[in-house]
Amino acid sequence: MKDETIEKVDAEIADWQYMKDLPESWHGFTLDRSKAIDKDSYDLYRYVNEELHKSAIVYFHEETHEYKVRLKIGLIEFCRIEFITAKLADFEQLLVKQFEQMLMDMMEFNPAALSSIVRDKKIMEWENGAKLPETLEGFTLFIRPAQPVKINNGSYIVIDYVDFALESSFTVYYNIYRDEFFAEARIWNIPDVNYDFDSNELPELEEKLRQHMLPRLREVRARAQKEAADHAAKAQKEEGEPPV
């Protein structure tokens, strides 16, 4: 991030009373005031729940010169478009009106926040979705069909199996605009896509999960473990120690 951008943001937030008055604890989340600067973003503060693997980050985006909010749920991060604005005063108004409710919805599932299209798709009532194992191939069921999570671009997370230690996962989404289910894996938090799970209806998705989910989970775990081993061997080599 450019020095002039950092200086601009610092000047704007120096007397920002809203940020100074934030509660240290809010609906199960803890305030972290530590700032973080990346190549194109300046994180001003965040509310974190480590146990739930959820956080809400307030930041300035250099590329668009806008204040924004992004959420991290499990391994997935996304921007909440309803908060995007260029002026700090306007941003504060949006935060006052919507941020607290957003935290509440992250803490406790709120069906009212779902699109009617998702409800009409009967995802929450999906019988076999309710029977998904809590653990599978070392992955833990983090998000289930009974409580889908809205992200962006009309997509909802329907199923999310995660291994936080390996930063790897298998996620099934539903997109309301395309009326389509699709899946994505993450291997050390890097997206890895295939099209084996693309479906338009729940019975079709169910059959594809039956055929492909276990092999996909095994593949993701094997690749993640291999990358971890390769990284460890490289680190040992760089330190001049023989690999174990």
Side-chain angles (χ1 to χ4, degrees):
M1 176 172 281
K2 297 176 182 177
D3 290 341
E4 54 264 37
T5 303
I6 298 171
E7 292 172 3
K8 170 186 178 294
V9 175
D10 283 341
E12 288 188 353
I13 67 173
D15 298 317
W16 191 20
Q17 195 62 41
Y18 173 86
M19 189 167 72
K20 293 178 181 179
D21 293 340
L22 288 169
E24 296 298 316
S25 180
W26 210 2
H27 299 292
F29 290 82
T30 301
L31 176 62
D32 179 358
R33 293 183 179 273
S34 58
K35 298 175 182 178
I37 299 173
D38 203 347
K39 62 179 182 180
D40 68 347
S41 64
Y42 184 166
D43 294 354
L44 308 180
Y45 63 87
R46 64 196 56 76
Y47 275 95
V48 182
N49 186 309
E50 298 285 358
E51 184 178 355
L52 294 182
H53 301 282
K54 295 180 179 181
S55 57
I57 302 99
V58 173
Y59 70 107
F60 183 84
H61 190 196
E62 182 172 48
E63 182 180 354
T64 61
H65 290 276
E66 292 168 321
Y67 290 96
K68 300 180 179 181
V69 173
R70 72 178 187 274
L71 303 186
K72 185 173 184 180
I73 298 178
L75 300 181
I76 298 169
E77 286 194 65
F78 55 96
C79 178
R80 287 288 296 257
I81 61 174
E82 61 267 40
F83 289 96
I84 297 174
T85 185
K87 294 182 179 180
L88 187 62
D90 296 338
F91 187 52
E92 178 178 328
Q93 290 182 13
L94 294 173
L95 291 171
V96 169
K97 290 179 182 178
Q98 302 182 57
F99 192 85
E100 183 177 11
Q101 184 62 53
M102 185 188 69
L103 288 181
M104 293 169 65
D105 291 347
M106 290 174 71
M107 177 56 65
E108 185 173 347
F109 177 65
N110 180 11
L114 301 180
S115 163
S116 60
I117 298 173
V118 174
R119 293 196 292 271
D120 292 345
K121 203 70 176 178
K122 305 296 183 184
I123 293 171
M124 292 181 289
E125 295 82 23
W126 181 26
E127 183 177 350
N128 281 295
K131 298 176 182 177
L132 289 168
E134 291 297 314
T135 59
L136 207 56
E137 298 297 323
F139 294 83
T140 299
L141 184 59
F142 179 64
I143 295 172
R144 60 199 69 229
Q147 298 184 355
V149 173
K150 180 182 178 180
I151 53 172
N152 49 19
N153 300 322
S155 288
Y156 288 77
I157 305 170
V158 176
I159 299 169
D160 196 23
Y161 275 101
V162 185
D163 184 330
F164 289 103
L166 287 179
E167 295 185 37
S168 300
S169 63
F170 169 78
T171 309
V172 176
Y173 302 87
Y174 174 69
N175 185 275
I176 62 174
Y177 302 128
R178 302 199 308 266
D179 187 22
E180 181 183 49
F181 297 95
F182 60 99
E184 174 186 86
R186 285 177 178 266
I187 300 171
W188 288 110
N189 220 2
I190 303 299
D192 187 87
V193 179
N194 70 24
Y195 304 97
D196 292 343
F197 301 90
D198 290 5
S199 310
N200 294 111
E201 302 297 337
L202 283 171
E204 182 185 6
L205 173 64
E206 191 174 306
E207 178 60 22
K208 291 185 175 182
L209 289 171
R210 188 187 67 79
Q211 292 181 18
H212 303 299
M213 186 164 67
L214 279 176
R216 182 62 163 152
L217 287 171
R218 291 171 186 148
E219 176 197 2
V220 171
R221 173 165 295 281
R223 288 173 59 185
Q225 289 175 330
K226 182 179 185 303
E227 286 194 22
D230 289 347
H231 180 77
K234 181 180 178 182
Q236 286 183 337
K237 184 177 180 181
E238 290 175 352
E239 292 173 1
E241 299 176 5
V244 177

